Amino acid sequence: MQVFVYEFITGGGLLSHSEVPRGPLMGEALAMVTTMASDFARMTDVRVTLLCDSRLDMPNVSEAKCWKVHQPEEEIRLFQRLAEESDWTVVIAPEFGGVLLERCRIVEAVGGHLLGPNTELVEIASDKHVLCRRLTHAGLKVPHGILLGAEQTLPEDFKYPAVLKPVDGAGSIGIKLIEGRDDVPVTESSGRNLRLEEFHNGMAASVAILGGPRYCLALPACRQFVEPSSGFHYRGGEVPIEADRCRRAQALALEVVDALPGSLAGYLGIDMVLGSDVQGGEDVVIEVNPRLTTSYVGLSRIVNGNLAELILDVALSKPGNYSLRAEHVKFDAQGNVTRQCIERGHPQELRA
């Protein structure tokens, strides 16, 4: 079996830019692609292929074939070829500018198989305003929000503090905490539409869903370390969280999946805020990431066995009993992980 693990930033997607890729998304990109590729490479009878921007010093992934690309035309040509040749393609790319959707469409157009959401689901989830309207229609709680044009001033009658973010954002880029209407006189989005939504206090958390044609699994909820005052900068996370909160988060994530169109054969990330109400009355869905997320780095350390293999098993509807290690894992945005054993009975079974 051949698995093509493609990550846009490290894989040559920015070769048309003269500057070498760097910035807040670079560390997360490296962490995701190297962790997942290494997991696949540990599987017997699996060949892993990668695209690598020739300007970058990529970490060595044992047993993976890395195709170095030097020009944008070479990168897209190899992407199409590897997606067509491979049994599965994992696309890790930001939603902004339609990048993720475009690459997923290419995989489907050449007859490849996405190990992740299909393009219908990616298109809905990539627009945060459209997604929230759909989830609201399905009876799920999301922050109240409105759509703003690129140069539209902030409304006087909105409830502040609020969050202002691009409708197609990724990695907290461009997100602002707005204390009041006069906080920023005019929105700054480089021509992109923005969503203004109410700010909700609580624990920022995420749940990874593994999906297949017959069933879905909700992995343990991860706490997210974000800083609202500094643009919701993502610092990493920890797993597991307190058991009752975890159950609430998993149940909410599975409801989200039921409300979404399209199909899922692979990994999907769902962000939420868990409120203080133990019954979950204050829990809200923030967004859906139709791709791999940085939480994979921590989850791969706490799930017994190989998380990449588990993703494939679910995608192929293979039965199995999955469990968790009795450990507490913290991870940062660059993929550095610390682990600590915790006292508890038997490893938890994952919720389906």
Side-chain angles (χ1 to χ4, degrees):
M1 177 188 297
Q2 179 167 309
V3 177
F4 174 32
V5 181
Y6 173 78
E7 197 290 312
F8 178 79
I9 296 173
T10 61
L14 296 176
L15 277 167
S16 59
H17 296 240
S18 58
E19 294 185 359
V20 177
R22 58 173 58 89
L25 292 183
M26 185 63 182
E28 293 183 56
L30 280 171
M32 286 186 285
V33 68
T34 55
T35 304
M36 171 167 265
S38 296
D39 285 348
F40 276 121
R42 291 191 290 113
M43 296 173 58
T44 57
D45 300 324
V46 172
R47 302 184 308 279
V48 182
T49 58
L50 305 170
L51 285 185
C52 303
D53 188 320
S54 60
R55 301 170 296 176
L56 299 176
D57 293 324
M58 293 285 289
N60 180 48
V61 179
S62 177
E63 306 302 324
K65 169 65 176 177
C66 183
W67 294 85
K68 288 189 176 293
V69 287
H70 303 79
Q71 299 294 330
E73 298 79 8
E74 179 189 20
E75 186 266 339
I76 194 65
R77 185 174 64 252
L78 274 171
F79 178 90
Q80 293 172 321
R81 176 185 143 192
L82 292 173
E84 182 179 10
E85 291 178 352
S86 300
D87 297 279
W88 294 99
T89 296
V90 177
V91 177
I92 310 169
E95 292 90 327
F96 52 69
V99 171
L100 176 63
L101 180 59
E102 176 194 34
R103 292 306 173 114
C104 290
R105 282 176 170 163
I106 291 173
V107 175
E108 291 186 347
V110 299
H113 297 91
L114 286 165
L115 189 58
N118 73 347
T119 52
E120 182 183 9
L121 199 161
V122 170
E123 184 171 15
I124 290 290
S126 294
D127 187 316
K128 301 182 193 306
H129 191 68
V130 170
L131 171 72
C132 284
R133 291 176 59 185
R134 188 177 192 97
L135 295 181
T136 299
H137 183 73
L140 293 170
K141 188 174 180 181
V142 302
H144 167 67
I146 59 174
L147 189 66
L148 296 180
E151 300 300 328
Q152 188 174 348
T153 58
L154 298 172
E156 295 182 5
D157 57 351
F158 200 83
K159 182 180 178 181
Y160 297 96
V163 179
L164 187 66
K165 58 187 180 183
V167 296
D168 61 347
S172 299
I173 292 178
I175 302 181
K176 301 175 183 177
L177 179 66
I178 307 299
E179 298 292 350
R181 183 184 181 277
D182 297 328
D183 198 3
V184 286
V186 179
T187 60
E188 301 173 2
S189 65
S190 301
R192 299 158 71 190
N193 285 335
L194 298 162
R195 175 176 165 84
L196 181 70
E197 64 182 32
E198 290 184 11
F199 173 74
H200 284 259
N201 274 311
M203 177 189 287
S206 66
V207 174
I209 296 289
L210 309 187
R214 292 187 180 178
Y215 65 97
C216 290
L217 290 176
L219 295 181
C222 297
R223 181 178 183 176
Q224 295 182 319
F225 297 122
V226 295
E227 299 175 357
S229 60
S230 63
F232 294 86
H233 184 70
Y234 177 70
R235 298 289 188 184
E238 66 179 351
V239 62
I241 63 175
E242 183 265 329
D244 287 340
R245 278 179 170 167
C246 182
R247 284 190 287 270
R248 277 163 43 196
Q250 289 174 308
L252 181 57
L254 289 169
E255 289 185 61
V256 171
V257 174
D258 288 341
L260 293 174
S263 60
L264 170 64
Y267 184 108
L268 180 78
I270 299 171
D271 293 342
M272 60 189 70
V273 170
L274 304 176
S276 58
D277 181 5
V278 296
Q279 300 301 317
E282 299 174 356
D283 300 346
V284 293
V285 181
I286 301 299
E287 60 187 52
V288 173
N289 299 298
R291 51 170 171 76
L292 202 73
T293 64
T294 311
S295 294
Y296 181 93
V297 176
L299 291 167
S300 68
R301 302 296 185 91
I302 201 171
V303 171
N304 271 320
N306 187 327
L307 182 52
E309 186 172 8
L310 175 57
I311 293 173
L312 271 177
D313 284 347
V314 176
L316 294 169
S317 296
K318 291 184 178 179
N321 295 316
Y322 308 112
S323 60
L324 309 176
R325 297 188 179 100
E327 292 183 341
H328 181 266
V329 172
K330 284 189 176 182
F331 52 96
D332 64 21
Q334 286 70 48
N336 301 305
V337 177
T338 59
R339 299 162 66 174
Q340 179 182 4
C341 290
I342 56 178
E343 292 294 332
R344 65 184 182 194
H346 298 288
Q348 298 177 2
E349 291 187 356
L350 306 187
R351 289 173 58 85

